[in-house]
């Protein structure tokens, strides 16, 4: 027993090199110099996750054997009794990913080898092209094609693009609340035109996906799916909010387009029915939001049995550590589909040495032991996180009604 390596300390590191709050968890072991890091990033409530790491995960887990990842995950999940919420799932993920990182370092091998080994050398990625006009979106697509990308997400005027600010103002009733206003009708009409424009300009050889961001009423989301069918989208993302998943059955009956769903899911009960009834084609969970590598690997295996591929959520509010974890899952999961890729600035790469590298539309895992990525803590504290509340989630319809963001 004297050889057992145990957890000596657990603490959160909060940093915002690109002004997006990121939460990293560091697990320090009893072995001098041996530690791991994991992603616990829930940008919109980062202080609450950091508090949970410091005041609950640390006292629960200090002294535990670092090799017992599964037992620690299960214990951290049931210790609070109420479970599967976004705050604690992220806190658990931070520790879970750090433990996989530690185990890789102990065995001197990358995490993908612990997950079954590579089934591909790199993960194909998609990136975001957005713009105010069709030409502007098209020019960004052109640039990505020149960079070697094969799949590109196209958005026109962000999520739920509008018919111009002054027009949107004219629709509002007097005294309406401030908020991030959007226009469901203008949006629905613009997406079909966007796909038509891209197919005319770029032909059939490029894949395009689109994110609805739960901005339509269910039947309108079904209608738009039918409209887009002829443009053969790579996938149609989050067309419905998690509260309306039963509508996927209706959508399936009307349009043969691949559906990607799930960045808002926290609890297995939210996705198991969609998977077992084959109502979606890509599972899109935010890996830290479901509790880290341990549940994500199991989820990928369940999806494999039902012919569903993975497309883990990977925007700027997934930390580089979270991105690294995603890539280890991507290269070792047979039913991997595609990886969303936000890209890293030079500042991010300095704060997080060892970021996975993007080359010609593919991202490569770092081949160092563990997750292969680190954090420069002294530099990280120079980019403090803002305590300001998010504004974009205060999403409203033209008549002032609050909508799902
Ligand atoms: Mg999305």
């Amino acid at each position: 027993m004297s050889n057992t390596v145990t957890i000596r300390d657990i603490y959160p590191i909060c940093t915002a090199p690109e002004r997006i709050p990121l939460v990293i968890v560091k697990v320090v072991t009893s072995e001098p110099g041996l530690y791991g890091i994991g992603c616990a990033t829930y940008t919109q409530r980062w202080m609450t996750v950091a508090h949970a790491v410091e005041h609950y995960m640390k006292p629960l887990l200090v002294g535990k054997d670092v090799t017992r990842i599964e037992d620690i995950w299960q214990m951290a999940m049931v210790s609070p009794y109420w479970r599967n919420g976004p705050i604690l799932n992220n806190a658990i993920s931070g520790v879970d990913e750090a433990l996989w990182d530690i185990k890789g370092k102990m065995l001197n091998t990358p995490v993908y080898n612990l997950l079954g080994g590579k089934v591909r050398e790199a993960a194909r990625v998609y990136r975001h092209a957005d713009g105010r006009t069709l030409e502007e979106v098209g020019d960004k697509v052109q640039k990505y094609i020149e960079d070697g990308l094969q799949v590109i997400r196209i958005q026109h005027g962000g999520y739920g693009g509008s018919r111009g600010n002054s027009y949107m103002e004219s629709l509002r009733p007097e005294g309406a609340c401030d908020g991030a206003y959007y226009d469901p009708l203008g949006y629905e009409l613009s997406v079909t035109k966007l796909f038509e424009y891209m197919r005319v300009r770029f032909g059939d050889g490029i894949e395009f996906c689109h994110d609805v961001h739960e901005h339509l009423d269910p039947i309108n989301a079904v209608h738009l799916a039918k409209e887009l069918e002829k443009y053969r989208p790579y996938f149609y993302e989050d067309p419905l909010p998690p509260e309306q998943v039963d509508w996927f059955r209706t959508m399936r009956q009307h349009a043969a387009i691949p559906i990607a769903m799930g960045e808002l899911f926290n609890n297995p009960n939210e996705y198991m029915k969609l998977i077992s009834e084959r109502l979606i084609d890509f599972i899109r969970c935010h890996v830290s939001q479901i509790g880290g590598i341990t549940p994500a690997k199991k989820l990928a295996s369940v999806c494999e049995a039902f012919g569903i591929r993975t497309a883990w959520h990977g925007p700027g509010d997934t930390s580089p550590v979270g991105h690294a974890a995603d890539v280890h899952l991507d290269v070792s999961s047979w039913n991997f589909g595609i990886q969303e890729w936000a890209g890293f600035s030079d500042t991010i790469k300095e704060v997080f040495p060892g970021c996975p590298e993007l080359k010609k539309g593919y991202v490569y895992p770092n081949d160092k032991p563990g997750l292969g990525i680190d954090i420069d803590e002294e530099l990280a504290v120079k980019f403090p996180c803002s305590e300001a509340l998010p504004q974009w989630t205060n999403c409203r319809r033209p008549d002032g009604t609050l909508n799902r963001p």
Side-chain angles (χ1 to χ4, degrees):
M1 288 302 286
S2 58
N3 289 334
T4 304
V5 177
T6 58
I7 295 174
R8 190 162 59 80
D9 193 12
I10 297 175
Y11 61 94
I13 305 160
C14 301
T15 181
E18 292 300 319
R19 295 192 298 279
I20 301 172
L22 306 174
V23 183
I24 306 304
V25 172
K26 188 158 185 173
V27 174
V28 183
T29 76
S30 57
E31 183 91 9
L34 178 63
Y35 63 88
I37 55 174
C39 180
T41 300
Y42 177 4
T43 296
Q44 290 77 10
R45 292 294 182 269
W46 63 272
M47 286 182 281
T48 319
V49 175
H51 184 277
V53 170
E54 208 173 323
H55 296 279
Y56 290 104
M57 298 302 284
K58 178 180 170 178
L60 177 70
L61 300 176
V62 161
K64 297 283 184 283
D65 178 346
V66 295
T67 64
R68 301 195 175 190
I69 300 175
E70 179 70 26
D71 187 64
I72 286 173
W73 190 90
Q74 299 287 350
M75 186 171 52
M77 187 53 83
V78 297
S79 168
Y81 185 47
W82 275 280
R83 52 193 176 270
N84 285 312
I87 303 292
L88 294 178
N89 278 7
N90 269 286
I92 292 168
S93 166
V95 172
D96 178 76
E97 293 184 3
L99 292 176
W100 283 98
D101 189 26
I102 289 167
K103 186 165 282 194
K105 289 173 178 173
M106 289 172 85
L107 299 172
N108 196 29
T109 194
V111 166
Y112 60 72
N113 275 338
L114 307 178
L115 302 174
K118 280 185 187 172
V119 288
R120 59 186 66 77
E121 290 306 311
R124 191 159 79 138
V125 304
Y126 74 89
R127 304 199 67 185
H128 302 177
D130 196 347
R132 283 161 303 172
T133 63
L134 296 174
E135 291 74 19
E136 209 175 287
V137 186
D139 292 346
K140 288 187 182 160
V141 166
Q142 178 63 42
K143 169 82 176 55
Y144 281 138
I145 293 172
E146 287 162 14
D147 290 346
L149 262 85
Q150 304 159 41
V151 187
I152 298 155
R153 191 187 81 163
I154 46 174
Q155 304 290 138
H156 188 196
Y159 300 119
S162 73
R163 288 171 280 181
N165 286 340
S166 55
Y167 180 73
M168 288 296 291
E169 288 281 343
S170 76
L171 299 178
R172 257 187 242 187
E174 289 173 21
C177 295
D178 285 340
Y181 275 77
Y182 84 105
D183 172 15
L185 175 60
Y187 165 62
E188 192 182 338
L189 297 172
S190 74
V191 178
T192 315
K193 293 193 181 91
L194 179 65
F195 270 84
E196 187 180 16
Y197 175 89
M198 294 302 159
R199 282 289 171 234
V200 170
R201 181 162 168 185
F202 298 104
D204 290 327
I206 292 290
E207 304 266 25
F208 294 110
C209 52
H210 178 77
D211 189 353
V212 178
H213 235 267
E214 47 178 0
H215 270 175
L216 292 173
D217 285 316
I219 193 63
N220 296 97
V222 174
H223 178 249
L224 183 57
K226 282 176 68 173
E227 290 286 306
L228 294 184
E229 194 178 21
K230 60 178 172 292
Y231 302 111
R232 202 185 43 77
Y234 183 77
F235 63 53
Y236 184 55
E237 177 182 344
D238 285 353
L240 301 167
E243 295 84 353
Q244 297 297 343
V245 292
D246 284 346
W247 279 85
F248 278 116
R249 218 169 276 112
T250 312
M251 192 175 286
R252 267 291 198 245
Q253 287 158 3
H254 287 87
I257 67 170
I259 297 167
M261 179 66 193
E263 68 188 54
L264 280 156
F265 289 156
N266 302 287
N267 183 328
N269 288 314
E270 292 171 305
Y271 48 71
M272 285 309 292
K273 190 167 70 174
L274 294 181
I275 295 167
S276 63
E277 294 187 23
R278 299 174 174 87
L279 296 176
I280 58 172
D281 303 277
F282 292 87
I283 190 77
R284 255 193 78 61
C285 294
H286 188 100
V287 167
S288 70
Q289 203 72 27
I290 59 169
I293 292 172
T294 295
K297 182 66 183 169
K298 295 174 186 178
L299 173 54
S301 299
V302 169
C303 285
E304 181 185 323
F306 292 96
I308 294 163
R309 288 174 279 171
T310 66
W312 306 121
H313 190 226
D317 57 5
T318 296
S319 75
V321 181
H323 273 99
D326 289 351
V327 177
H328 284 273
L329 287 160
D330 296 341
V331 299
S332 61
S333 302
W334 176 77
N335 58 319
F336 161 74
I338 195 143
Q339 181 61 54
E340 181 180 25
W341 202 249
F344 301 131
S345 67
D346 290 341
T347 313
I348 285 272
K349 288 180 193 169
E350 276 177 51
V351 177
F352 294 96
C355 282
E357 261 190 77
L358 179 68
K359 284 184 268 182
K360 291 191 175 172
Y362 288 96
V363 64
Y364 292 75
N366 191 311
D367 287 329
K368 289 186 195 138
L371 291 173
I373 188 165
D374 209 340
I375 183 167
D376 181 334
E377 289 181 63
E378 279 176 27
L379 190 54
V381 296
K382 291 181 181 160
F383 301 98
C385 299
S386 162
E387 296 185 9
L389 289 170
Q391 297 304 312
W392 68 272
T393 49
N394 182 18
C395 175
R396 291 183 184 271
R397 296 191 165 212
D399 71 350
T401 306
L402 200 64
N403 197 72
R404 300 291 184 239

